[in-house]
Amino acid sequence: MTSTSQTLTNITVQSPGLAERVMISTLTTLPTCVFLFINGIMLFTLRSKPVFRETCRYILLYNLLFADTVQLAQSQIHFLLAVLRITVSYPVCTFLVNFTHLTSVISPLTLVVTPLERYVAVCYPLRHATIITIRNTGAAITVIWAISFLNIIIRTLLFLSLFEELGDLEVKGFCGDIAILLGTKSDRFDKAFTCIVVVAAGVAVIFSYIGVIVAARSASTDKALAFKARNTLLLNLMQLFLSLSSTIYYPLLVPLLMIVTRIVLVRIQNVFYLLFIIVPRCLTSLIYGLRDQTIRPVLIYHLCCRLKCPVFSSTRL
């Protein structure tokens, strides 16, 4: 563990007084619960009608939203453990961190498949029904989860290889990535795997976007479909940036170590947590749910507890 990592770990647990810790916990937990409720309604919506269960892009959206929701809940658990100064053992910390990584990898991997589905829909409309099937979509989701599980297995093996060198089973400080990245091999693997996933997702989005733009110029292409696909791909690109926002959480804190005091840094860290951890995990349901003309009326219907809301009263289910 580097000296910078140790400093960040120690600062994380140097929380303010009890009253401020309670206030911080409340200010983060309440919006998290609200967003978890919205995400839960969105997940229920995506399983409530056959059109959602039998359309491949909605199946992929469900997988993406499910991963973001689980990661949101898990991130809040980590945050509360740090704020409340609850220490855990290395095995428990490893399980919690690896479980978080399991779902955090799902989002960018899903964003590798989603743009390709839109690319096929625009560029190969006659073959879309035979290529993008529920069976193929299920196989793609299975591969996504298999890759994520493989990442967790390798991370666990790297941790176990250094487990005997630990003098104490209890984590000193915050239970997070820094706590279980005990060697250079583990750190290098984590960075390499993240880079591969990011590059793959970025290439898929950019390639699909260029393909859709080129296809849109063809006279035989459905212009309306191409326009919608282009906007969807731009949303996919924005979603990719949002899913990667957590990777800049600690790098942004490092320069502040030499500038501000500990108590100020803790408060800045709490703001960064809201901006880079909580908010990105909550925007998926809002971006896709309110934008999609098929999802929006059903989502609003369930958010209104199946009552007729003013914005919904003129829409048929």
Side-chain angles (χ1 to χ4, degrees):
M1 188 184 296
T2 64
S3 58
T4 301
S5 298
Q6 290 175 342
T7 305
L8 281 173
T9 303
N10 292 333
I11 288 176
T12 303
V13 295
Q14 292 293 332
S15 301
L18 178 61
E20 188 165 350
R21 279 188 288 151
V22 172
M23 182 184 67
I24 292 173
S25 301
T26 303
L27 291 178
T28 57
T29 303
L30 286 180
T32 300
C33 291
V34 172
F35 286 126
L36 284 174
F37 172 76
I38 295 175
N39 285 5
I41 294 296
M42 181 69 172
L43 288 171
F44 176 79
T45 299
L46 289 173
R47 303 301 297 174
S48 62
K49 289 184 174 295
V51 64
F52 301 135
R53 298 192 298 267
E54 299 171 3
T55 304
C56 296
R57 62 191 180 97
Y58 292 134
I59 297 174
L60 292 171
L61 176 59
Y62 182 92
N63 188 63
L64 176 65
L65 182 62
F66 176 79
D68 283 348
T69 303
V70 173
Q71 190 179 10
L72 176 62
Q74 189 66 22
S75 298
Q76 185 62 20
I77 292 175
H78 280 284
F79 184 80
L80 291 178
L81 287 176
V83 172
L84 300 179
R85 301 180 183 181
I86 300 176
T87 57
V88 296
S89 63
Y90 271 106
V92 174
C93 180
T94 302
F95 172 79
L96 292 175
V97 172
N98 284 341
F99 187 74
T100 302
H101 273 274
L102 174 66
T103 53
S104 65
V105 175
I106 298 299
S107 296
L109 286 178
T110 303
L111 292 173
V112 173
V113 180
T114 304
L116 298 178
E117 186 274 332
R118 289 291 84 195
Y119 171 79
V120 174
V122 175
C123 299
Y124 304 98
L126 299 179
R127 301 178 59 186
H128 180 266
T130 57
I131 297 176
I132 310 299
T133 62
I134 295 180
R135 181 177 180 180
N136 290 342
T137 303
I141 292 176
T142 301
V143 171
I144 289 173
W145 282 89
I147 294 175
S148 186
F149 270 110
L150 180 62
N151 173 45
I152 298 305
I153 292 173
I154 295 176
R155 286 173 58 91
T156 303
L157 292 176
L158 290 173
F159 170 77
L160 292 177
S161 65
L162 297 172
F163 186 73
E164 296 180 356
E165 301 179 10
L166 296 175
D168 192 351
L169 290 180
E170 189 173 278
V171 175
K172 301 298 183 182
F174 173 58
C175 172
D177 286 325
I178 292 177
I180 66 171
L181 291 178
L182 302 175
T184 56
K185 290 183 179 180
S186 180
D187 190 25
R188 289 174 182 173
F189 169 77
D190 187 67
K191 292 179 180 178
F193 184 83
T194 302
C195 289
I196 292 173
V197 172
V198 170
V199 171
V203 169
V205 174
I206 295 174
F207 169 78
S208 302
Y209 183 80
I210 295 175
V212 169
I213 294 298
V214 173
R217 297 178 180 178
S218 173
S220 60
T221 303
D222 187 339
K223 303 297 182 181
L225 179 61
F227 179 77
K228 291 181 180 179
R230 187 192 66 179
N231 292 339
T232 300
L233 291 173
L234 289 176
L235 286 177
N236 291 153
L237 187 61
M238 184 180 70
Q239 188 68 25
L240 177 61
F241 285 130
L242 290 175
S243 66
L244 298 176
S245 61
S246 59
T247 61
I248 64 175
Y249 178 67
Y250 279 111
L252 284 178
L253 291 176
V254 173
L256 297 175
L257 290 173
M258 308 302 295
I259 302 175
V260 300
T261 61
R262 288 186 175 183
I263 192 68
V264 174
L265 184 63
V266 170
R267 291 166 181 169
I268 294 176
Q269 190 174 8
N270 295 328
V271 175
F272 282 178
Y273 171 74
L274 288 171
L275 294 178
F276 300 124
I277 304 296
I278 291 185
V279 174
R281 304 292 174 259
C282 308
L283 292 179
T284 300
S285 58
L286 297 177
I287 291 174
Y288 292 96
L290 297 180
R291 174 180 175 271
D292 192 284
Q293 298 296 328
T294 306
I295 297 178
R296 182 168 58 189
V298 185
L299 176 62
I300 295 177
Y301 175 70
H302 290 301
L303 285 175
C304 294
C305 301
R306 301 185 178 183
L307 300 175
K308 290 186 177 181
C309 297
V311 294
F312 178 73
S313 57
S314 61
T315 308
R316 292 184 59 186
L317 286 177

